[in-house]
Amino acid sequence: MRLIESIAPFYILLLLLEVIYTRLRKQDYYFYEDSLADLSLGVLSRIFDGMILLGLVFVYNELYKISWGITFLSKIFLSTSSPFHWILLFILLDFLFYWAHRYSHEIKVLWASHVVHHSSEEFNLSVALRQSFVRNIGIGLFYLPLSLLGFPVESYLIIDALNRTYQFWVHTRTIKKLNKWFEFIFVTPSHHRVHHAMNPEYIDRNYGGVFIIWDRIFGTFCEEKQEPRYGLVSQLNTYDPVKAELHVFRDLFGDLWKTKYKWQGIRSFFSYPSVRPDDLQSILDRGVRDPKIWLNHNKWDIDRKSRLPQYRRKVGTSIDRVYLLISFLIPTAFTLYFLKRMHLYSLGETISVFFLLVFSFVSLGRLLEGERNWFRFEIPKYISWLVLLGYFFL
């Protein structure tokens, strides 16, 4: 976690350079409200990541302890001082990422946590930071076999951070296709633009993190042939980060509540994202479990939606947009401060700060939607911050 935070300034620098570059070239690749939503989701994910990662590291270490036989062999043949240790771990982790990423698109409950990363209709470096607050659960569970193979948790965390860092730069439209040999082996911006597209021919393609070879081997590769339309089959049409985080979870539990076929409702949690109980599904798609059949049935409608105007809604005047930036920067600064000192606080203090940080981004979501709930959100938020500042610093 500390490694990701150390790299974060590098991410922000590249993002700012891309903003300046695209503005100079008059390329309309960024939209202010959308980018604030992206960055807010990135901060929210870091708030939750700390606690989730602690649990994953504990489980990883426990599994590492019971793999004493393999661990003994790894100390002889795969010592951390050996370059082969790091090369093999880098390849294995990316292989596991491919499957974790693929299943995050093919299993609805995993898609519910991953969908936030795809819900922007823009595609730029800020979208790379648009992550789910429970991302580490879905992805981290797929990495646990590395512990049984004898790779210590420190090695895993370093390689995971490097894997994520590589994935950051491929979220751009400013880089076109690269050399053929590089495009054949590695994931490039061209490949990842396809992955983020909602055009029918691009859906469920190019899952690789660093190596595109996995997609070529397992039949999920698709080359970029036309400019993609980014986002979801049913676009979110909101900049509210909390709605972006929770809308598929809401749909899942809503279907389970409304359907009279409860077993189908439970099964849909572990089915392809388009699968719903029969009494809530369209007549054409009732009983359809094969994503290719569903896509064939809905291809015309998806293609029609890909031609609709992009959702871009400016929230208020320039002064309003400055206030949005302030409303983002204050909880972000407190988040960074809190995460570095979380171990110094009591459980009650941690929960209080945690609640207020989340509440601040809920409030920002209302502002990004153009709402001005001063008495419900803004005034209580600032009073709470003042109370908390007084408690910790006075």
Side-chain angles (χ1 to χ4, degrees), residues 256-315:
L256 183 60
W257 176 262
K258 289 182 286 187
T259 184
K260 61 183 179 181
Y261 304 120
K262 297 301 181 186
W263 179 240
Q264 288 187 5
I266 293 170
R267 284 177 57 192
S268 70
F269 276 62
F270 306 98
S271 302
Y272 190 73
S274 62
V275 174
R276 303 180 69 191
D278 286 346
D279 55 340
L280 302 177
Q281 184 67 285
S282 65
I283 295 174
L284 184 64
D285 289 321
R286 284 179 187 170
V288 173
R289 300 290 182 267
D290 187 335
K292 291 181 180 178
I293 295 174
W294 176 84
L295 187 59
N296 186 57
H297 287 174
N298 294 273
K299 186 175 181 180
W300 181 86
D301 188 48
I302 296 171
D303 187 63
R304 177 186 63 81
K305 289 177 179 177
S306 71
R307 302 176 194 278
L308 293 175
Q310 188 176 356
Y311 179 76
R312 280 189 168 188
R313 187 169 61 82
K314 184 177 178 180
V315 179

Side-chain angles (χ1 to χ4, degrees), residues 12-268:
I12 300 301
L13 176 61
L14 285 180
L15 194 157
L16 291 174
L17 288 174
E18 185 180 54
V19 170
I20 295 169
Y21 177 78
T22 55
R23 286 288 184 267
L24 291 175
R25 293 179 62 88
K26 301 188 185 308
Q27 294 171 322
D28 193 20
Y29 291 172
Y30 278 84
F31 189 69
Y32 184 77
E33 283 77 1
D34 184 81
S35 292
L36 273 184
D38 294 340
L39 295 173
S40 298
L41 285 160
V43 177
L44 273 171
S45 72
R46 298 312 300 161
I47 294 171
F48 285 84
D49 268 356
M51 285 167 283
I52 292 172
L53 199 58
L54 285 175
L56 282 171
V57 165
F58 173 79
V59 175
Y60 191 102
N61 270 327
E62 291 303 306
L63 291 173
Y64 180 77
K65 290 175 186 176
I66 66 173
S67 64
W68 63 270
I70 299 176
T71 304
F72 175 74
L73 292 175
S74 72
K75 286 179 179 177
I76 298 174
F77 299 107
L78 287 178
S79 168
T80 53
S81 61
S82 167
F84 191 60
H85 170 95
W86 299 100
I87 294 169
L88 181 60
L89 179 55
F90 191 88
I91 294 171
L92 286 175
L93 186 137
D94 195 63
F95 174 74
L96 293 174
F97 174 83
Y98 169 85
W99 287 106
H101 194 187
R102 180 169 175 173
Y103 283 126
S104 293
H105 282 254
E106 296 181 353
I107 298 175
K108 199 168 188 177
V109 70
L110 296 180
W111 173 242
S113 68
H114 182 60
V115 65
V116 61
H117 183 59
H118 286 264
S119 55
S120 173
E121 294 186 50
E122 312 292 337
F123 191 75
N124 52 54
L125 291 178
S126 71
V127 174
L129 304 176
R130 187 185 182 99
Q131 298 291 341
S132 166
F133 65 87
V134 290
R135 175 195 186 273
N136 268 336
I137 296 178
I139 300 292
L141 291 176
F142 280 84
Y143 291 159
L144 292 179
L146 295 171
S147 64
L148 297 174
L149 293 175
F151 293 102
V153 69
E154 295 82 5
S155 298
Y156 149 61
L157 292 175
I158 291 170
I159 295 301
D160 179 43
L162 292 176
N163 187 278
R164 295 191 198 195
T165 301
Y166 181 92
Q167 292 182 44
F168 177 77
W169 79 279
V170 299
H171 292 81
T172 184
R173 295 163 66 186
T174 59
I175 299 174
K176 304 308 177 184
K177 292 195 175 184
L178 301 173
N179 290 335
K180 287 185 177 180
W181 71 266
F182 196 89
E183 294 268 345
F184 186 82
I185 299 172
F186 296 101
V187 173
T188 66
S190 175
H191 298 147
H192 208 62
R193 286 192 290 269
V194 167
H195 178 70
H196 273 258
M198 53 87 70
N199 311 66
E201 65 272 25
Y202 289 158
I203 290 175
D204 294 340
R205 299 289 184 174
N206 297 359
Y207 295 113
V210 174
F211 300 110
I212 199 66
I213 290 291
W214 312 127
D215 289 281
R216 296 183 186 277
I217 292 172
F218 297 110
T220 53
F221 174 74
C222 182
E223 188 176 353
E224 182 184 33
K225 294 181 180 178
Q226 64 175 2
E227 178 69 22
R229 171 65 188 273
Y230 303 103
L232 305 173
V233 169
S234 295
Q235 299 286 18
L236 195 57
N237 292 337
T238 180
Y239 300 123
D240 186 339
V242 178
K243 288 182 181 177
E245 288 277 12
L246 300 177
H247 72 282
V248 174
F249 283 110
R250 179 202 63 200
D251 294 343
L252 264 175
F253 286 99
D255 281 359
L256 183 60
W257 176 262
K258 289 182 286 187
T259 184
K260 61 183 179 181
Y261 304 120
K262 297 301 181 186
W263 179 240
Q264 288 187 5
I266 293 170
R267 284 177 57 192
S268 70

